[in-house]
Amino acid sequence: MFKFIVRRILWLVLVLFVVSLITFTLMHLVPGGPWDREKQLAPQVVDALNKRYGLDKPLYEQFGNFLWGVVQGDLGVSYSFQGRGVTEILLKGLPRTAILGILAFILAQAVGIPFGMAAALKQNSTTDYASVIFSTIFASIPGFVLGILLMILFSVALHWLPTGGWGSPLQLIMPVICLAALPAAQSARITRASTLEVMRQDYVRTARSKGLPENVVRVRHIFRNSLIPVVTVAGPELANLITGSFIIENLFSIPGVGRLFVQGVFARDYGLIMGGVLFYAFAIAILNLVVDVLYAAIDPRIRFD
Amino acid sequence: MKPLLEVHNLTTYFYTQDGIVKAVDDVSYDLDPGETIALVGESGCGKTVSALSIIRLIAEPPGKIESGEVLFNGTDLLKLSPDEIRKVRGAQISMIFQEPLTSLNPVLTIGRQLSEGLESHKGLSRGEAEREAMNLLKIVGIPHPEQRVHDYPHQFSGGMRQRVMIAIAIACKPKIIIADEPTTAVDVTIQAQLLELIRGISREFNTALILITHNLGVVARYAHRVFVMYAGKIVEQGTALEVYHRPHHPYTAGLLASVPRLDEPRKTRLLPIRDQPPDLIALPKGCAFHARCDYSIEMCAQQKPTLVQVAKDHYSACWVDQKGHTPWQKKSS
Amino acid sequence: MTVVTKIETVSARPHHTLWGDAFIRLRRNYLALAGAVFILLLALAAILAPLITPYGFADQNLDEIMESPSWKHPMGTDELGRDAFARLLYGARTSLSVGIFTQFIVIVIGLPIGAISGYAGGKTDNFIMRFVDVMYAFPDILLIILLRSVLGGSIYMLFLAIGLVAWVGVSRLVRGQVLSLKSRDFVSAARAMGGMGNYITWRHLLPNSLGPVIVSITFNIPRAIFAEAALSYIGIGVQPPTPSWGAMIRDGYNLIFAKPHLIIFPAIAIALLLLAFTFLGDGLRDALDPKLRR
């Protein structure tokens, strides 16, 4: 177990290195520098800015400096948010994005798993068809489209909810639903499929042949096994939640990491983009690691060697 | 003596999108306390389904027990409520399945899978049940039971898992154990050990045994009476010795000729039964076996034969036999 | 003994090939059929857009700005006086071409890489798969955004950016298929009969892995369409005046209280198109899943 985690962390470091290398290379292939504005800056000013941010140094030295900073937890300096550190900027947005993501994940599983199970236990019933149709619909409609439809209904037509912003719980409702819709639908589909699969397994028949009460068979023998595939997709689902927050945060004007990052892209803010990419890659890798450990906890067949 | 279990005219169908599979069609047999009977036939002949129907473990849908009765100590198991039949399963009638690899839950410890039945039927506490689980593992010959109760199924070999399945089956000291091809999936070297274990246990606890197998060699050694099934019906029944030595159905003779026997010279060639078993959805009009039978006559294609007594406690469903011919017997005696 | 007419014991039920079976299954699945019909109709409408609406997607009429739906403008006009219905039809061209052309890129890159990886095995396989793993760790949208800023603003570069990110899944799938098929008997048989490496790959392996690849492509198309719409919605997708449903939503967002129809129609259009592809993909998957065959 310990060895497994160490190996995974080493792999993670390698991935982050490659990701930052790719990002760095791509950013310096971009035509135009960070100081391109509608109003051309004077060459002296550009030189001065380049010097100040170390952009006059050779590329490998810039990359080395950046990596050295990353090791110390410093993701570099933002060029558009004058003089502020990328780490500081991202950490400011992080709690908002995290709260959105965690709430959406909980909501998604709390809705998706029970629906998927109910559908499987009553295969071909109305519950089943309803669950299949709803999960297909929510698995296909993008979060921001759902967001707009909700907004038109609850903000424009009914005036119940604000269209965006951050601060009150009311402002959380729509963004959380939009983020949760896709993973909820996925969880429901996977839970349904895996429960149907598990219900056909020989060991469920064995459990019934022992004369166990039906709810014991369901909870102890079916439920635990049918959750295994749900846990395996939790990693990608969390990654989707994080990248989904890009668009949802823009739609609902939430000053989280995603919105900051998109602002950085528009401003050609190399510092913020590189820092942001690395930050996202790191977050996703850590979440996947946690999911893998969790996976091993519920499936004893998984060995760490 | 009154039989412990009487199966009368049991009929179980499966409704699939291609049609109705008549897996078990009007099957009757009985079992005395402490007796061992064998259900014999090729795979897909309905022997497993008939056993599963007894304790109503058929998946519904697509399966359905159409008619018949299963009297256990005089009670019709087919008429019990789901909760009542649940109390019979495991406690009165238990089952050992064919596939030890897939019949144990991969995410629960062996101990838990043994103790849960005890907790449910005998009302034991978790600790008592676990101690009893260790005891059961010892009975079925698993070394270091006190450690192995905490292991998971994937840490056991196939033969060991089948021992665990046997332990599960005997946990609540049932009156009947149904063993569905208990040795098919394990190594040949282990098969005899497991069968001896099952027989030893059934003798020790005076448990009646329904042995489902396709191996007539096993039958002769372990069963008192045998029921040969073909295409969902019983085609021959009798004491094991009678059926073994004087088969009155060409199918039984074919089965005997297709397995190696120790009491015959090595030179004797094994004779497989030709072709495949019939499609249970579209059964032929007459005898289900006639198309594969070397001895069939006109009548076989026209009318279904019924079980007729041919000797003491010996019944067979074959038109040729009922005309007094048993040309297959010289081949196998 | 008398010989009786031998009756065929094998069932009289008809047997089909994999593809024949799949087609029959698909035809029975009305949702998948509805999805396919919707996609075809939309494609037809997109191609024939000039015949359906008299307006061009960039025609501005400053006398008719922000009009509500009417007979003249079935979906109203935007703040520049452009006909929203015309923009929706021409926007379908963008969505569908993104969906299709990205998949060409995906196939051109993903199929050979996966097949080579699976077939070669060993170090080649290991190296390719480690690279694929790194690509997996990179969030899709993030990489698309990065590539987008490198490759520049044209719509072809948008295809390329989305395609360059999406091939990974297909290559993994093909590799897995090749690996599992490689060990199957019929390939061993082909090899034993003297079939050579490339020949075996092309003649036996690829046709057999085609089913899952088709299913995966069908699911990839809506993902690419979604990516374009999302990028255009945040403003880094197709550039104006090229019409795009995502961009229409972006433009309409400011007017959501005053003229909600400007945003409702493109939103519903995206939802329906993606749903149609999901239904079709589900149908294809069920139809081609050999586990369901009996």
Side-chain angles (χ1 to χ4, degrees), chain A residues 123-124 201-214 216-217 220-222 224-225 228 297-303, chain B residues 52 55 57 86 89-91 93-95 97 99 102-108 112-114 116-117 119-121 152 154 165 168:
Chain A
Q123 202 189 354
N124 298 328
Q201 296 296 311
D202 288 346
Y203 56 76
V204 172
R205 192 177 61 184
T206 308
R208 294 225 161 86
S209 81
K210 292 179 202 170
L212 301 175
E214 188 56 25
V216 173
V217 174
R220 194 180 293 157
H221 290 271
I222 296 177
R224 228 182 122 182
N225 279 289
I228 292 174
I298 75 168
D299 189 346
R301 283 166 298 181
I302 304 299
R303 295 290 89 181
Chain B
L52 288 172
I55 45 175
L57 280 179
R86 182 179 72 66
R89 292 180 195 147
I93 304 177
S94 67
M95 195 146 175
F97 293 98
E99 287 290 339
T102 54
S103 294
L104 289 167
N105 190 330
V107 304
L108 294 179
R112 193 77 196 99
Q113 298 188 55
L114 271 163
E116 59 182 1
E119 287 173 33
S120 163
H121 290 300
Y152 290 93
H154 68 270
M165 289 301 294
I168 290 174

Coordinates of all heavy atoms in Angstrom, one line a residue, chain A residues 123-124 201-214 216-217 220-222 224-225 228 297-303, chain B residues 52 55 57 86 89-91 93-95 97 99 102-108 112-114 116-117 119-121 152 154 165 168:
Chain A
Q123 N -36.2 -3.7 -12.7 CA -36.0 -3.6 -14.2 C -37.2 -3.6 -15.0 O -38.2 -4.4 -14.7 CB -35.0 -4.7 -14.6 CG -34.3 -4.4 -15.9 CD -33.6 -5.5 -16.5 OE1 -33.5 -6.6 -15.8 NE2 -33.0 -5.4 -17.6
N124 N -37.3 -2.7 -16.0 CA -38.4 -2.6 -16.9 C -39.7 -2.1 -16.3 O -40.8 -2.2 -16.8 CB -38.8 -4.0 -17.6 CG -37.6 -4.5 -18.4 OD1 -36.9 -3.7 -19.0 ND2 -37.4 -5.8 -18.5
Q201 N -25.0 -12.4 -10.8 CA -23.8 -13.2 -10.4 C -24.2 -14.4 -9.6 O -25.2 -14.4 -8.9 CB -22.9 -12.3 -9.6 CG -22.3 -11.2 -10.4 CD -21.4 -11.7 -11.6 OE1 -20.6 -12.5 -11.4 NE2 -21.7 -11.1 -12.8
D202 N -23.4 -15.4 -9.7 CA -23.6 -16.7 -8.9 C -23.6 -16.4 -7.4 O -24.4 -17.0 -6.7 CB -22.5 -17.7 -9.2 CG -22.6 -18.2 -10.6 OD1 -23.7 -18.1 -11.2 OD2 -21.7 -18.9 -11.1
Y203 N -22.8 -15.5 -6.9 CA -22.7 -15.3 -5.5 C -24.0 -14.7 -4.9 O -24.3 -14.9 -3.7 CB -21.5 -14.6 -5.1 CG -21.3 -13.2 -5.7 CD1 -22.0 -12.1 -5.3 CD2 -20.3 -13.0 -6.7 CE1 -21.8 -10.9 -5.8 CE2 -20.2 -11.8 -7.2 CZ -20.9 -10.7 -6.8 OH -20.7 -9.5 -7.4
V204 N -24.7 -14.0 -5.8 CA -26.0 -13.5 -5.3 C -27.0 -14.7 -5.1 O -27.8 -14.7 -4.1 CB -26.6 -12.4 -6.2 CG1 -28.0 -12.0 -5.9 CG2 -25.7 -11.2 -6.3
R205 N -26.9 -15.6 -6.1 CA -27.8 -16.8 -5.9 C -27.4 -17.6 -4.7 O -28.2 -18.1 -3.9 CB -27.6 -17.6 -7.2 CG -28.6 -18.7 -7.3 CD -28.5 -19.5 -8.6 NE -27.1 -20.1 -8.7 CZ -26.7 -20.8 -9.7 NH1 -27.5 -20.9 -10.8 NH2 -25.5 -21.4 -9.7
T206 N -26.0 -17.7 -4.4 CA -25.6 -18.3 -3.2 C -26.2 -17.7 -2.0 O -26.7 -18.3 -1.1 CB -24.0 -18.3 -3.1 OG1 -23.5 -18.8 -4.3 CG2 -23.6 -19.1 -2.0
A207 N -26.1 -16.3 -2.0 CA -26.6 -15.6 -0.8 C -28.1 -15.9 -0.6 O -28.6 -16.1 0.5 CB -26.4 -14.1 -1.0
R208 N -28.9 -15.9 -1.7 CA -30.3 -16.3 -1.6 C -30.5 -17.7 -1.1 O -31.4 -18.0 -0.4 CB -31.0 -16.1 -3.0 CG -31.0 -14.7 -3.5 CD -32.4 -14.3 -4.0 NE -32.5 -12.9 -4.1 CZ -32.1 -12.1 -5.1 NH1 -31.6 -12.7 -6.1 NH2 -32.2 -10.8 -5.0
S209 N -29.6 -18.6 -1.6 CA -29.7 -20.0 -1.2 C -29.5 -20.2 0.3 O -29.9 -21.2 0.8 CB -28.8 -20.9 -2.0 OG -27.5 -20.9 -1.5
K210 N -28.8 -19.2 0.9 CA -28.6 -19.3 2.4 C -29.9 -18.9 3.1 O -29.9 -19.0 4.3 CB -27.5 -18.4 2.8 CG -26.1 -18.8 2.3 CD -25.1 -17.8 2.8 CE -23.9 -17.8 2.0 NZ -23.0 -16.6 2.3
G211 N -30.8 -18.4 2.4 CA -32.1 -17.9 3.1 C -31.9 -16.6 3.8 O -32.6 -16.3 4.8
L212 N -31.0 -15.7 3.3 CA -30.9 -14.4 3.9 C -32.1 -13.6 3.5 O -32.7 -13.7 2.5 CB -29.6 -13.7 3.4 CG -28.3 -14.5 3.6 CD1 -27.2 -13.7 3.0 CD2 -28.1 -14.6 5.1
P213 N -32.5 -12.7 4.4 CA -33.6 -11.7 4.1 C -33.2 -10.9 2.9 O -32.0 -10.6 2.7 CB -33.7 -10.8 5.3 CG -33.0 -11.6 6.4 CD -32.0 -12.5 5.8
E214 N -34.2 -10.5 2.1 CA -33.9 -9.9 0.8 C -33.1 -8.6 1.0 O -32.2 -8.3 0.2 CB -35.2 -9.6 0.1 CG -35.1 -9.1 -1.3 CD -34.3 -10.0 -2.3 OE1 -34.2 -11.2 -2.0 OE2 -33.7 -9.4 -3.2
V216 N -30.9 -7.9 3.3 CA -29.5 -8.3 3.5 C -28.8 -8.6 2.2 O -27.7 -8.2 1.9 CB -29.4 -9.4 4.5 CG1 -27.9 -9.9 4.7 CG2 -29.9 -9.0 5.9
V217 N -29.5 -9.4 1.4 CA -28.9 -9.8 0.1 C -28.6 -8.5 -0.7 O -27.5 -8.4 -1.3 CB -29.9 -10.7 -0.7 CG1 -29.3 -10.9 -2.1 CG2 -30.1 -12.0 0.0
R220 N -25.8 -6.2 1.5 CA -24.5 -6.8 1.7 C -23.9 -7.4 0.5 O -22.7 -7.2 0.2 CB -24.6 -7.8 2.8 CG -23.3 -8.3 3.4 CD -23.5 -9.3 4.4 NE -24.1 -8.8 5.6 CZ -24.8 -9.6 6.5 NH1 -24.9 -10.9 6.3 NH2 -25.4 -9.1 7.5
H221 N -24.7 -8.0 -0.3 CA -24.1 -8.7 -1.5 C -24.2 -8.0 -2.8 O -23.3 -8.0 -3.6 CB -24.8 -10.1 -1.6 CG -24.5 -11.0 -0.5 ND1 -23.4 -11.8 -0.5 CD2 -25.0 -11.2 0.7 CE1 -23.3 -12.5 0.6 NE2 -24.3 -12.2 1.4
I222 N -25.3 -7.3 -3.0 CA -25.4 -6.6 -4.3 C -24.8 -5.2 -4.3 O -24.0 -4.9 -5.1 CB -26.9 -6.5 -4.7 CG1 -27.5 -7.9 -5.0 CG2 -27.1 -5.7 -6.0 CD1 -29.0 -8.0 -5.3
R224 N -22.7 -3.5 -2.4 CA -21.2 -3.3 -2.3 C -20.5 -3.6 -3.6 O -19.6 -2.9 -4.0 CB -20.7 -4.2 -1.2 CG -19.8 -3.3 -0.3 CD -19.2 -4.1 0.8 NE -17.7 -4.0 0.7 CZ -16.9 -4.6 1.5 NH1 -17.4 -5.4 2.4 NH2 -15.6 -4.4 1.3
N225 N -20.9 -4.7 -4.2 CA -20.3 -5.1 -5.5 C -20.6 -4.1 -6.6 O -19.8 -3.8 -7.5 CB -20.6 -6.5 -5.9 CG -19.8 -7.5 -5.1 OD1 -18.6 -7.6 -5.4 ND2 -20.4 -8.2 -4.2
I228 N -18.5 -0.8 -7.0 CA -17.1 -0.8 -7.4 C -16.9 0.0 -8.7 O -16.1 0.9 -8.7 CB -16.6 -2.3 -7.5 CG1 -16.5 -2.9 -6.1 CG2 -15.2 -2.3 -8.1 CD1 -16.1 -4.3 -6.1
A297 N -10.0 0.0 -1.1 CA -10.6 -0.3 0.2 C -11.9 -1.1 0.1 O -12.2 -1.9 1.0 CB -10.9 1.1 0.9
I298 N -12.6 -0.9 -1.0 CA -13.9 -1.6 -1.1 C -13.8 -2.9 -1.9 O -14.6 -3.8 -1.8 CB -15.1 -0.8 -1.6 CG1 -15.0 -0.5 -3.1 CG2 -15.3 0.5 -0.9 CD1 -16.4 0.0 -3.6
D299 N -12.7 -3.0 -2.7 CA -12.5 -4.3 -3.4 C -11.2 -5.0 -3.0 O -10.1 -4.6 -3.3 CB -12.4 -4.0 -4.9 CG -12.5 -5.3 -5.7 OD1 -12.3 -6.4 -5.1 OD2 -12.7 -5.3 -6.9
P300 N -11.3 -6.0 -2.1 CA -10.1 -6.7 -1.6 C -9.3 -7.4 -2.6 O -8.2 -7.7 -2.3 CB -10.7 -7.7 -0.6 CG -12.1 -7.9 -1.1 CD -12.6 -6.7 -1.7
R301 N -9.8 -7.5 -3.8 CA -9.0 -8.2 -4.9 C -7.9 -7.3 -5.4 O -7.0 -7.8 -6.0 CB -9.9 -8.7 -6.0 CG -10.7 -9.9 -5.7 CD -11.8 -10.1 -6.7 NE -12.8 -8.9 -6.7 CZ -13.8 -8.9 -7.5 NH1 -14.1 -9.8 -8.3 NH2 -14.6 -7.8 -7.4
I302 N -8.1 -6.0 -5.2 CA -7.0 -5.1 -5.7 C -5.8 -5.2 -4.9 O -5.8 -5.0 -3.7 CB -7.6 -3.7 -5.7 CG1 -8.9 -3.5 -6.5 CG2 -6.5 -2.7 -6.3 CD1 -8.7 -3.9 -7.9
R303 N -4.7 -5.6 -5.6 CA -3.4 -5.7 -4.9 C -2.5 -4.5 -5.3 O -2.6 -4.1 -6.4 CB -2.7 -7.0 -5.2 CG -3.4 -8.2 -4.7 CD -3.3 -8.4 -3.2 NE -4.5 -7.7 -2.6 CZ -4.7 -7.6 -1.3 NH1 -3.9 -8.1 -0.5 NH2 -5.8 -7.0 -0.9
Chain B
L52 N -33.1 -26.0 -8.7 CA -33.3 -24.6 -8.3 C -34.8 -24.3 -8.0 O -35.2 -23.5 -7.2 CB -32.8 -23.7 -9.3 CG -31.2 -23.6 -9.4 CD1 -30.9 -22.7 -10.7 CD2 -30.6 -23.0 -8.2
I55 N -36.2 -24.9 -4.3 CA -36.1 -23.8 -3.3 C -36.4 -22.5 -4.0 O -36.1 -21.4 -3.4 CB -34.8 -23.8 -2.6 CG1 -33.6 -24.0 -3.6 CG2 -34.8 -24.9 -1.5 CD1 -32.3 -23.9 -2.9
L57 N -35.3 -20.7 -6.5 CA -34.2 -19.8 -6.8 C -34.1 -19.4 -8.3 O -33.1 -18.9 -8.8 CB -32.8 -20.3 -6.4 CG -32.5 -20.2 -4.9 CD1 -31.2 -20.8 -4.6 CD2 -32.5 -18.8 -4.5
R86 N -37.9 -18.4 2.4 CA -36.6 -18.0 2.8 C -36.1 -18.7 4.0 O -34.9 -19.0 4.1 CB -36.7 -16.5 3.1 CG -35.4 -15.8 3.5 CD -35.6 -14.4 3.7 NE -36.3 -14.1 4.9 CZ -35.9 -14.3 6.1 NH1 -34.7 -14.9 6.3 NH2 -36.6 -14.0 7.2
R89 N -34.8 -22.2 2.9 CA -33.5 -22.1 2.2 C -32.3 -22.0 3.3 O -32.4 -21.2 4.2 CB -33.3 -20.9 1.3 CG -34.2 -20.9 0.1 CD -34.0 -19.6 -0.7 NE -35.1 -19.4 -1.6 CZ -35.5 -18.2 -2.0 NH1 -35.0 -17.1 -1.4 NH2 -36.4 -18.1 -2.9
G90 N -31.3 -22.8 3.1 CA -30.2 -22.7 3.9 C -30.4 -23.5 5.2 O -29.5 -24.2 5.7
A91 N -31.6 -23.3 5.8 CA -31.8 -24.0 7.1 C -32.3 -25.4 7.0 O -31.8 -26.3 7.7 CB -32.9 -23.2 7.9
I93 N -33.1 -26.8 3.5 CA -32.6 -27.3 2.2 C -31.5 -26.3 1.8 O -31.7 -25.1 1.7 CB -33.7 -27.3 1.1 CG1 -34.9 -28.2 1.6 CG2 -33.1 -27.9 -0.2 CD1 -36.0 -28.2 0.6
S94 N -30.3 -26.8 1.6 CA -29.2 -25.9 1.1 C -28.6 -26.5 -0.1 O -28.9 -27.6 -0.6 CB -28.2 -25.8 2.2 OG -27.5 -27.0 2.4
M95 N -27.7 -25.6 -0.7 CA -27.3 -26.0 -2.0 C -25.8 -25.7 -2.2 O -25.3 -24.7 -1.7 CB -28.1 -25.1 -3.0 CG -27.9 -25.6 -4.4 SD -29.4 -25.3 -5.4 CE -28.8 -25.8 -7.0
F97 N -23.1 -25.1 -5.2 CA -23.1 -24.8 -6.6 C -21.9 -25.3 -7.4 O -20.9 -25.6 -6.8 CB -23.3 -23.3 -6.8 CG -24.6 -22.8 -6.3 CD1 -24.7 -22.2 -5.1 CD2 -25.7 -22.9 -7.1 CE1 -25.9 -21.8 -4.6 CE2 -27.0 -22.5 -6.6 CZ -27.0 -21.9 -5.4
E99 N -19.9 -23.7 -9.6 CA -18.8 -22.8 -9.8 C -18.2 -22.2 -8.5 O -18.7 -21.2 -8.1 CB -19.1 -21.7 -10.8 CG -19.4 -22.1 -12.2 CD -18.0 -22.5 -12.9 OE1 -17.0 -22.1 -12.4 OE2 -18.1 -23.3 -13.9
T102 N -17.1 -18.4 -8.8 CA -18.0 -17.3 -8.9 C -19.1 -17.3 -7.9 O -19.9 -16.4 -7.8 CB -18.6 -17.2 -10.3 OG1 -19.2 -18.4 -10.6 CG2 -17.5 -16.9 -11.3
S103 N -19.2 -18.4 -7.1 CA -20.3 -18.6 -6.2 C -20.0 -17.9 -4.8 O -20.9 -17.9 -4.0 CB -20.7 -20.0 -6.0 OG -21.1 -20.5 -7.3
L104 N -18.8 -17.4 -4.6 CA -18.6 -16.8 -3.4 C -18.4 -15.3 -3.6 O -17.8 -14.9 -4.7 CB -17.3 -17.3 -2.7 CG -17.4 -18.7 -2.2 CD1 -16.0 -19.3 -1.9 CD2 -18.2 -18.7 -0.9
N105 N -18.9 -14.5 -2.7 CA -18.9 -13.0 -2.9 C -17.4 -12.5 -2.7 O -16.8 -12.7 -1.7 CB -19.8 -12.4 -1.9 CG -20.0 -10.9 -2.1 OD1 -19.1 -10.2 -2.7 ND2 -21.1 -10.4 -1.8
P106 N -16.9 -11.9 -3.8 CA -15.5 -11.5 -3.7 C -15.1 -10.5 -2.7 O -14.0 -10.3 -2.3 CB -15.2 -11.0 -5.2 CG -16.5 -10.6 -5.7 CD -17.5 -11.5 -5.1
V107 N -16.1 -9.7 -2.2 CA -15.7 -8.6 -1.3 C -16.0 -8.9 0.1 O -15.9 -8.0 1.0 CB -16.4 -7.2 -1.7 CG1 -16.0 -6.9 -3.2 CG2 -17.9 -7.2 -1.5
L108 N -16.5 -10.1 0.4 CA -16.7 -10.4 1.8 C -15.8 -11.5 2.3 O -15.4 -12.4 1.5 CB -18.2 -10.9 2.0 CG -19.3 -9.9 1.8 CD1 -20.7 -10.6 2.0 CD2 -19.2 -8.7 2.7
R112 N -17.5 -14.2 7.1 CA -18.7 -13.5 7.0 C -19.7 -14.3 6.2 O -20.9 -14.3 6.5 CB -18.5 -12.1 6.4 CG -19.6 -11.2 6.5 CD -19.7 -10.6 7.9 NE -20.9 -9.9 8.2 CZ -21.9 -10.5 8.9 NH1 -21.7 -11.7 9.4 NH2 -23.0 -9.9 9.1
Q113 N -19.3 -14.9 5.1 CA -20.2 -15.6 4.3 C -20.7 -16.9 4.9 O -21.7 -17.4 4.6 CB -19.5 -15.9 2.9 CG -19.2 -14.6 2.2 CD -18.7 -14.8 0.8 OE1 -19.4 -15.5 0.0 NE2 -17.5 -14.3 0.5
L114 N -19.9 -17.4 5.9 CA -20.3 -18.6 6.6 C -21.3 -18.2 7.8 O -22.3 -18.8 8.0 CB -19.1 -19.3 7.2 CG -18.5 -20.3 6.3 CD1 -17.1 -20.6 6.9 CD2 -19.3 -21.6 6.4
E116 N -23.2 -15.5 8.2 CA -24.4 -14.7 8.0 C -25.7 -15.6 8.0 O -26.7 -15.2 8.6 CB -24.4 -13.9 6.7 CG -24.1 -14.6 5.5 CD -24.0 -13.7 4.2 OE1 -24.1 -12.5 4.4 OE2 -23.9 -14.3 3.1
G117 N -25.5 -16.8 7.5 CA -26.7 -17.7 7.5 C -27.0 -18.2 8.9 O -28.2 -18.2 9.3
E119 N -26.4 -16.5 11.6 CA -27.0 -15.3 12.4 C -28.5 -15.2 12.0 O -29.4 -15.0 12.8 CB -26.3 -14.0 12.0 CG -25.0 -13.9 12.6 CD -24.2 -12.6 12.1 OE1 -24.9 -11.6 11.8 OE2 -23.0 -12.7 12.0
S120 N -28.8 -15.5 10.7 CA -30.1 -15.3 10.2 C -31.1 -16.4 10.7 O -32.2 -16.1 11.1 CB -30.1 -15.1 8.7 OG -31.3 -15.3 8.2
H121 N -30.6 -17.6 10.6 CA -31.5 -18.8 10.9 C -31.4 -19.2 12.4 O -32.5 -19.6 12.9 CB -31.1 -20.0 10.0 CG -31.5 -19.8 8.6 ND1 -32.7 -19.5 8.1 CD2 -30.7 -19.8 7.5 CE1 -32.7 -19.4 6.8 NE2 -31.5 -19.6 6.4
Y152 N -10.2 -13.6 2.1 CA -11.2 -13.4 1.0 C -11.2 -14.5 0.0 O -10.1 -15.2 -0.1 CB -10.9 -12.1 0.3 CG -11.2 -10.9 1.2 CD1 -10.3 -10.3 2.0 CD2 -12.5 -10.4 1.2 CE1 -10.5 -9.2 2.8 CE2 -12.8 -9.3 2.1 CZ -11.8 -8.7 2.8 OH -12.1 -7.6 3.6
H154 N -10.6 -14.8 -3.1 CA -9.6 -14.9 -4.1 C -8.3 -15.5 -3.5 O -7.3 -15.8 -4.2 CB -9.3 -13.5 -4.7 CG -8.7 -12.5 -3.8 ND1 -9.5 -11.7 -3.0 CD2 -7.4 -12.2 -3.5 CE1 -8.7 -10.9 -2.3 NE2 -7.4 -11.2 -2.6
M165 N -17.8 -23.8 0.2 CA -19.2 -23.9 -0.3 C -19.9 -25.0 0.5 O -21.1 -24.9 0.9 CB -19.3 -24.1 -1.8 CG -19.0 -23.0 -2.7 SD -20.0 -21.5 -2.4 CE -21.6 -22.1 -3.0
I168 N -20.7 -23.8 3.9 CA -21.8 -22.9 3.9 C -23.1 -23.8 3.9 O -24.1 -23.5 4.6 CB -21.8 -22.0 2.7 CG1 -20.7 -20.9 3.0 CG2 -23.1 -21.3 2.5 CD1 -20.4 -20.0 1.8

